[in-house]
Amino acid sequence: MSTPTTTFSLEGRGLKLDTEDDARSHTQGLSSTKTYTHISLSGNTLGAPACTYLAPLLSAQTSLTSINLADIFTSRLLSEIPPALTSLLTSLLPLQNLTTIDLSDNAFGLKTQAPLVDFLRQHVPLQHLILNNNGLGPEAGTHIATALFTLADRKAEARIHAANNATKGTHIPPLETLICGRNRLETGSMAAWAQAFQKHPHLKTVKMVQNGIRQPGIRTLLLDGLNYCRELEVLDLQDNTFTHVGAEALSSSLPLWPHLRELGVGDSLLGRKGGMGMLCAALSQGRNKELRVLRLQYNEIDSRGVARLLRVVEEKEGESKLPCLRRVELNGNKFAEEDEGVARLRRVLEGRRGDDDGEGDGEEFGLDQFSDLEEDSDVEDEEEEEEADDIDSGAEENEKKEDEKEKAKKAEAIVRDAEEEEGRNVSQKQDAEVDVLAEKMGRTEMI
């Protein structure tokens, strides 16, 4: 007996479905079968009339658990997208088994995000949301985050309702996956995202790569948001800006994620101003024993940074702080490929193949390929350190000068007050006050 078809797919066919007739000619399967668990319309371009036709066909798929609507508006005018998107997403709201939706590679900027925001506020079964390369920007990104904040409240209300009514078979899943990369979210939207993450503490996968998030935004995202997600397994924040500020925030957050398996912080200037040292110090606490993959490419990490990581990974007295770590990606940093610390780190990781639990294959162990290393220059490092010392010394000198200026201002004020007192007809009973003032002036001159 053949296995029933559970997937309907037009993926990657490059169809241009403008009208209802266009849609009808390619979707007969949706009309004849209502038991699909997965539908993919990705890689085609859909007009508003075609989406209007598709809407009732989609809403009839009561077994649907996932849908791929990535890249479905190529060549469409911005004015076409909202009505088309409204038809599609509104049809999905009644589907209580639909937990996964991929809307990547569609233009959801400020002018087109409203239907998506409305859907996210309401779709209580949502468990996995994928929004890559949607051109959101910080303002539309804030609207998306706020919608997810509201969704958390809706989920809580639905759970209470189900419990009070003893509804059999009703399960309201938590939001577990949030992928929102290449969307120019920037620092301006991070407060809203942090609040959204607070409301979804069961998140397991968060990927927000290449969003132009700078140091203050990274700090807000981590300390005010992801710190509350204690079940986190995968975190990817590559190609944003950490430096010292972000590294410090990450270091305080890492011990809170005991189930973390993958950490991606490549291309984030993590190696500057002691960032690598803070990261390794956090990992050395031994609270991330499930960590398997660490992505650190293009971070200006030098041989000393590699040595610090090696000390965390290597066994001491028969125990490693990172016993499950199998792969570290370090390409694009500032050390020589033949560096002894690099070689030792590779040997340790590759030697763990025998401890594999069956997940993955041998290619996941060891280091990545080094195709773009920079020279590790001690001279440059010394110059940077001297420059930092000069800056610190200059800051101290400026502080001293400011203190001297402040004292001089106080002295001038006291003298001015004294002169004003002398110019008045001062009674004898005020002589004691004048004496005190004169005493103050004397002490001021001695400073």
Side-chain angles (χ1 to χ4, degrees), residues 378-443:
D378 292 335
V379 175
E380 288 182 5
D381 292 338
E382 290 174 3
E383 290 177 351
E384 288 178 1
E385 290 173 3
E386 290 174 1
E387 183 179 350
D389 291 340
D390 291 342
I391 291 173
D392 291 340
S393 299
E396 292 178 2
E397 188 65 28
N398 288 336
E399 288 179 2
K400 289 179 181 178
K401 290 180 180 179
E402 289 298 324
D403 289 341
E404 291 174 359
K405 288 180 181 178
E406 188 65 26
K407 291 176 182 177
K409 286 181 181 179
K410 289 180 179 179
E412 290 175 3
I414 293 172
V415 171
R416 188 166 54 252
D417 291 343
E419 290 174 346
E420 290 176 357
E421 289 290 341
E422 289 178 357
R424 294 173 184 162
N425 184 17
V426 182
S427 65
Q428 289 299 316
K429 67 180 180 180
Q430 292 175 322
D431 286 348
E433 296 176 6
V434 175
D435 290 340
V436 172
L437 184 62
E439 185 180 353
K440 288 182 179 179
M441 290 175 60
R443 286 201 301 267

Side-chain angles (χ1 to χ4, degrees), residues 103-104 108 116 120 129-134 144 179-181 183:
L103 285 157
S104 301
F108 294 147
L116 176 58
L120 293 178
L129 176 62
I130 306 171
L131 292 171
N132 262 328
N133 190 34
N134 298 108
I144 299 297
I179 300 175
C180 191
N183 270 307

Side-chain angles (χ1 to χ4, degrees), residues 11 13 30 136 160 197 238 246 310 375 441:
E11 187 168 339
R13 293 177 58 178
L30 288 178
L136 293 174
I160 294 172
F197 289 145
Q238 295 184 95
L310 177 63
E375 289 295 325
M441 290 175 60

Side-chain angles (χ1 to χ4, degrees), residues 167-181:
T167 308
K168 293 183 178 180
T170 300
H171 172 63
I172 310 300
L175 184 65
E176 293 186 359
T177 302
L178 188 285
I179 300 175
C180 191

Side-chain angles (χ1 to χ4, degrees), residues 289 312-323 352 355:
K289 292 186 179 296
V312 180
V313 177
E314 281 186 321
E315 290 188 2
K316 294 181 180 64
E317 299 180 355
E319 182 180 357
S320 169
K321 300 297 184 180
L322 297 173
R352 292 179 173 178
D355 301 328

Side-chain angles (χ1 to χ4, degrees), residues 149 174-175 190-204 206 219-233 235 249 252-259:
F149 183 95
L175 184 65
M190 287 303 103
W193 281 102
Q195 291 175 357
F197 289 145
Q198 281 190 35
K199 299 282 280 188
H200 294 281
H202 300 289
L203 275 162
K204 294 183 178 180
V206 174
R219 179 174 55 197
T220 297
L221 182 67
L222 291 171
L223 300 185
D224 298 338
L226 291 171
N227 268 9
Y228 294 83
C229 303
R230 304 300 173 86
E231 299 174 26
L232 201 61
E233 296 179 359
L235 177 61
S252 68
S253 299
L254 275 170
L256 303 176
W257 303 323
H259 305 295

